[in-house]
Amino acid sequence: MFLGQKCHKRRVFNTRWHRLVGNQSKQIYVIIMLINITTMVITAIQVKARVPGSIYSDLRREGVLKESLLSGDNDLKYRWVSYDNWTFERTFNVDEKILSKQYVYLLANGIDTVSEVTVNGRLIGRTDNQFIRYKWDVKHVLKVGQNTVRVSIQSAPLYSMQKSKEYKEKYKYEVYPCTKTDNNECNYDFIRKMAASYSWDW
Ligand SMILES: *[C@@H]1O[C@H](CO)[C@@H](O)[C@H](O)[C@H]1NC(C)=O
């Protein structure tokens, strides 16, 4: 684990990839990735991540968050986590057999929520919906040997705040005026993400 000042933050995948041979007649090779994560920080932190999992449980397990998120006012104390961007990264090996297939897909069963996905530094997709599955053909960016996949996740509350601002500027109308009544986050209307992230149910 690395704790520093204002550097780039990065998190490292620490999960197994599940490789499944799909429909043989079409020669599809599918790599399944399970992701279920949230958002981010102010200082540079690098910890091992579990996927599927959550940024909060990773930071708690690695000792960055000292107490349970759910006790006392820790949801407020640990709010900085959701205001930073978090990046998940891992390496995986590809052999010639995989590359001999016509298609090689990267399948994300869930990414929470707004992210850019790169493989070997090449952008292969963007996400903005926690509730759907994403699949990208990645054959053209893969190489024999070690490859790197990176999922750079943007702060959800800051993203939705920005979207709300853009909407207001464009239509001169605020869809759902934000009222901070119970330490909630605002602008939930502008993101496809579970409601609980914005304090509903807390
Ligand atoms: C997080 O990402 C957004 C979008 O790329 C960027 O505007 C913002 O400055 C980033 N925040 C931090 C703390 O790096």
Side-chain angles (χ1 to χ4, degrees), residues 38-40 82-85 112-114 153-162 186-187 190-191 193 197-198:
T38 318
T39 20
M40 80 156 146
S82 70
Y83 291 149
D84 204 347
N85 303 325
D112 176 11
T113 297
V114 183
I153 298 178
Q154 196 185 333
S155 162
L158 297 185
Y159 166 87
S160 55
M161 187 188 294
Q162 179 60 28
C186 290
N187 313 121
F190 287 89
I191 192 167
K193 179 169 172 42
S197 305
Y198 282 68

Side-chain angles (χ1 to χ4, degrees), residues 80-190:
W80 57 269
V81 174
S82 70
Y83 291 149
D84 204 347
N85 303 325
W86 292 96
T87 299
F88 289 76
E89 184 184 279
R90 68 157 294 161
T91 56
F92 59 100
N93 285 314
V94 168
D95 58 23
E96 272 139 24
K97 200 170 143 227
I98 295 176
L99 287 186
S100 70
K101 306 293 179 185
Q102 197 174 350
Y103 302 102
V104 182
Y105 291 112
L106 174 62
L107 180 63
N109 276 337
I111 296 182
D112 176 11
T113 297
V114 183
S115 78
E116 279 186 3
V117 180
T118 64
V119 173
N120 298 331
R122 302 262 304 273
L123 182 69
I124 55 148
R126 290 193 167 89
T127 71
D128 60 5
N129 188 337
Q130 185 192 3
F131 306 116
I132 63 174
R133 194 160 66 147
Y134 289 88
K135 186 170 103 174
W136 302 281
D137 184 2
V138 291
K139 185 176 161 167
H140 61 293
V141 296
L142 293 177
K143 58 183 191 218
V144 172
Q146 186 171 287
N147 293 258
T148 302
V149 59
R150 192 173 289 159
V151 181
S152 305
I153 298 178
Q154 196 185 333
S155 162
L158 297 185
Y159 166 87
S160 55
M161 187 188 294
Q162 179 60 28
K163 288 286 158 198
S164 171
K165 266 191 206 151
E166 287 168 13
Y167 186 93
K168 201 176 164 189
E169 275 161 25
K170 191 168 173 188
Y171 299 105
K172 315 287 175 224
Y173 172 73
E174 200 166 0
V175 177
Y176 183 66
C178 177
T179 46
K180 289 246 178 197
T181 52
D182 56 354
N183 298 321
N184 55 302
E185 289 292 351
C186 290
N187 313 121
Y188 171 61
D189 334 49
F190 287 89

